[in-house]
Amino acid sequence: MGKTVNSPSQAAALVAPDVSPGTGLVAGPADRTAPGPVDKAMEVLSALVATGAPHRLAELSRRTGLAKPTVHRLLRSLAAAGFAEAAEGGSYRPGPRLLGLAAAVLAEEPVLRHVRPVLDELHARTGLFASYAVRDREWLVHVEVSAPGTGLALGPRPGERERLTAGAGGLLVRALGEAAGTEDEDAEALAGAARDGWSLDPADPGAARRALAVAVHGPDGVLAGVLVLGGPLFTFDDTAAGMYAPLALSAARGIEAGLAAEAPPRLGLVEAEGEER
């Protein structure tokens, strides 16, 4: 596949789903207007659900780029509505209403009904972390994860974000023309990922884990998400990746078959030319 282009800080970028100033709703490339109250509230919610909750006021202010008084006022309003909850030491965590909404959405999401069993089977066959990520602007968000029972230390957490420039999933998105690349992109790696439909993290000795990403397309042929298979670096050399890739590709085709089944049925009344239903 050739050498992928990832920064040396790849592991940190993958593990820390930081909601830093300018990465959220208020700073999209097509939206440079001043953020409104709803934008600010969404920024606070995004920071609130980041890994490591409960979060202190100073941390939420740093992550969102908003002043502490503004964050505190928004937190009080969110807590009153059940979307946030005060914790020890003046910190805050997601509230029961937010957790309930997230659980309801995930339970009813048609795509995830097809993703979950495929991820579980892929994890059972490989012993690795299997996750499904979707794109959110310059990020990939892991919305479903099937992980070993030993914990999530070496794999993504549900809701974790990684930049498109940080790992195999981002490389694949860029290779398929779904996101802009950089001047130092490895043309060979991009061409290989576009041809094969999968990409691989470089074997970086400084990284704790490694991942392989496979494209999942919707019925319209557009990229719907990325299936990511990852694990400890010492168990994920190039030879192992060559064995895992066919399994991941097969799993992706299984998800695509499920997505195709979600399309509206095509049977029905066929209208004659010039005839209105």
Side-chain angles (χ1 to χ4, degrees), residues 2-257:
K3 181 180 177 182
T4 57
V5 179
N6 297 78
S7 67
S9 60
Q10 170 192 349
L14 291 177
V15 172
D18 191 18
V19 188
S20 54
T23 61
L25 297 175
V26 301
D31 183 12
R32 299 298 180 186
T33 60
V38 174
D39 299 311
K40 295 177 181 178
M42 292 300 100
E43 286 288 332
V44 172
L45 278 178
S46 295
L48 197 63
V49 300
T51 304
H55 302 290
R56 298 185 66 84
L57 181 62
E59 180 187 356
L60 294 172
S61 176
R62 177 186 62 81
R63 286 176 175 270
T64 61
L66 300 173
K68 287 184 182 179
T70 300
V71 174
H72 187 246
R73 174 175 52 81
L74 290 169
L75 283 170
R76 291 180 62 183
S77 297
L78 291 169
F83 292 105
E85 185 175 72
E88 63 278 359
S91 57
Y92 284 83
R93 60 186 171 220
R97 190 174 181 189
L98 180 60
L99 296 173
L101 287 175
V105 170
L106 292 175
E108 296 299 324
E109 171 56 46
V111 172
L112 296 186
R113 289 204 300 268
H114 300 290
V115 167
R116 288 188 186 103
V118 173
L119 293 184
D120 289 344
E121 180 180 359
L122 187 59
H123 159 62
R125 296 183 66 181
T126 64
L128 300 173
F129 293 86
S131 66
Y132 183 76
V134 296
R135 184 184 175 192
D136 175 21
R137 290 168 293 248
E138 72 272 27
W139 302 87
L140 278 179
V141 182
H142 295 266
V143 294
E144 189 71 23
V145 179
S146 183
T150 55
L152 295 176
L154 290 177
R157 301 170 65 93
E160 183 175 311
R161 306 194 306 172
E162 60 180 89
R163 289 191 178 275
L164 292 180
T165 55
L171 173 71
L172 185 59
V173 172
R174 300 194 306 276
L176 296 177
E178 299 290 335
T182 60
E183 293 182 359
D184 61 347
E185 291 279 18
D186 187 324
E188 182 183 355
L190 291 173
R195 178 189 66 243
D196 301 331
W198 63 277
S199 60
L200 180 67
D201 286 341
D204 182 358
R209 71 191 195 195
R210 196 180 194 190
L212 180 151
V214 175
V216 177
H217 294 91
D220 54 2
V222 175
L223 184 69
V226 177
L227 189 155
V228 181
L229 191 62
L233 181 64
F234 66 86
T235 66
F236 215 133
D237 58 18
D238 291 347
T239 300
M243 295 186 295
Y244 294 144
L247 295 175
L249 286 167
S250 177
R253 302 296 84 82
I255 294 174
E256 290 174 350

